[in-house]
Amino acid sequence: MSQLTSLIASRTAPFHTFEFFPPRTEAGLVNLLDRIRRLADAPLPAPLAVSVTWGAGGSTADRSLELAEQVVKMGLDVVLHLTCTNMAKEKVDQALGRCRDLGIRNVLALRGDPPRSEEYAVSADPTPDFFKHADDLVRYIRAEHGDWFCIGVAGYPTPHADSENEEDDLHWLKVKCDAGADYIITQLFYDVEGFLEWVKTCISQPIIPGIMPIQNFASFRRLVNLTKCPVPDSIMDELQPISSDDAAVKNYGAQLATKMVAQIIGSKLVPGVHFCTLNLEKSVRTILENLGWSTKADNRPSTSPSPRHNQLIEDDADMTNVKDGVAINGKTRLSPATQMKDLSISPSEASQLAQYGLTHNVLPPAPKAGLGGKSGGVAEDSWDEYPNGRFTDVRSPAYGEIDGWGSGLKITAAQALKEWGTPTDASQLSSLFVSYLDSSPETPTTPFCDLPLSPESASILPHLIALNSTRLQHWTVGSQPAVDAAKSDDPIHGWGPRGGYVFQKAFVEFFVREEEVIRLEEKLKKGDGQITMTNALKDAVNAVTWGVFPGQEISQSTIIEETSFLAWKEEAFDIWTEWSLLYPRQSPARKLLEGIAGEWWLVSLIHHDYKDSEGLWRFLLK
């Protein structure tokens, strides 16, 4: 493996890197590895390196290192992201040691969440092992590992959400570079002229601009709201008329990113770009083809996915007299150039595939066949492209990411305290949720919703307010009304390509006490079978949103089943815990929120008759 700055110095043509995150499911990981191979295979240009993200506080440490190891086995250089705040030094040491074992020479040193010892005031005990800022991590890596690692840091062409102005950002960027950083990868931006002016005022380390293609309108809005990234009015003006057409938005995002990259590379101010893929393939593939960067097949080894049957599991035993090999954990493994890729599979991949098959009693998942594309007859790159929400196909590498759900608070602690106050009993929490539903300016968010209520919720708003009231205390975090054949370009319910029709089953998800769960279960036993509780699902798969479009298979965009519910449930309760940390130990607010995290239940109910728009609400409210 090589250091990134050496790779950059050796290039005479523009380069690109890809960023991926560790999928939440085993099936998602298997499909992501196929996706990475395709994106690294001719005729597409090989990426200079592949970045693997790292969850704040080391929350994805094991999965990030597993993904990094698999990418190394493909013969690709890896940049491992590493956050440092709210994480013990021992965990940083373990990650860096594992990188050295795998031969990974590149890291991206990031702060991660704000340090709790400062921002959370007296809510957490001071811990000397916490790093406070990214420059602390840079210095530590340099002191402990010398020049082994090529260290990158984040740059902000637009002000960081926590900073006051651009001057502060440039100051801290210089501090990180003076601490020993070798290169800079920027946060996303959409103002190219502003970015180029920022580069001219910057420092001498190589700068790699972060490019995030717009995937759909909802995720774009959430992203810019979270990062506080300014968006030129011209982009918003062009997006607004097509906001309900997912295919049009995705195409627009690819064309916009193409123009941005062409302008950036044409300026000669930066040597390459960094694509934030969100684990999706179609947009970045389109951009590379639009730029004319695709190449004819060369002599580099193919990384195309292997057949999923009759494959030889590669031997991990020690091998001797291997001329073309790399050492991993003291064992010698054939490099990708000499492995029989069409006939073999790594033990890790074989285990993942087998585990999925045993769990689901089916053959391991393969990408769905779609319309033919430029990449070779079957559009393997587009089977899970839109929309990707909390309950979409768990086989998708992008599962659960693109709509911004997940553990952790989406706003700063100061903003959270201002908007959510200091609740000390359940009735005050009910008032908070109702205030948000009423679109009160004092409560623009909740810990589970960082954007205003969607227009779709207006049709069921009275029901949601009744559920969240102090009388019922069913605190809703997800819901949708029943929809029977709305046009796909409908401004409220529509999605996907024009000319189609969309359907929805009503569902609602909420937190309740255990005794209410028992009452609901008893009531369901006496019902007509039209309602199911996701908590009780075993291997059942429920499509609750689907669309019928001209010339296409039926698209099931929102799927609720056991695996997805359990994955989200863990992260949902983590949000209660994170919220509790805003308040001092032993305080009434801290105790209340910790009690909910430990004792309440998350319940999801689906009403299967999409022609009965009131069925679910009659069950819950009468």
Side-chain angles (χ1 to χ4, degrees), residues 524-543:
L524 284 171
K525 292 177 182 178
K526 301 174 184 177
D528 58 6
Q530 287 288 356
I531 298 176
T532 56
M533 183 182 292
T534 306
N535 309 57
L537 291 178
K538 293 295 181 185
D539 299 325
V541 177
N542 284 281

Side-chain angles (χ1 to χ4, degrees), residues 405-418:
W405 72 275
S407 58
L409 305 181
K410 303 299 189 295
I411 60 178
T412 66
Q415 185 181 352
L417 290 170
K418 178 182 178 181

Side-chain angles (χ1 to χ4, degrees), residues 128-147:
D129 288 341
F130 282 177
F131 298 89
K132 293 184 177 180
H133 302 287
D135 57 288
D136 297 328
L137 179 57
V138 174
R139 292 189 192 90
Y140 181 77
I141 296 173
R142 279 281 173 255
E144 296 295 316
H145 297 273
D147 293 330

Side-chain angles (χ1 to χ4, degrees), residues 207 329 582:
I207 296 172
N329 290 339
L582 298 177

Side-chain angles (χ1 to χ4, degrees), residues 3 129 138 161 192 225-226 243 376 395 475 493 528 534 550 560 604:
Q3 291 195 332
D129 288 341
V138 174
V192 174
N225 181 68
L226 179 63
S243 60
R395 301 175 302 169
W475 300 325
H493 303 296
D528 58 6
T534 306
I560 298 180
S604 175

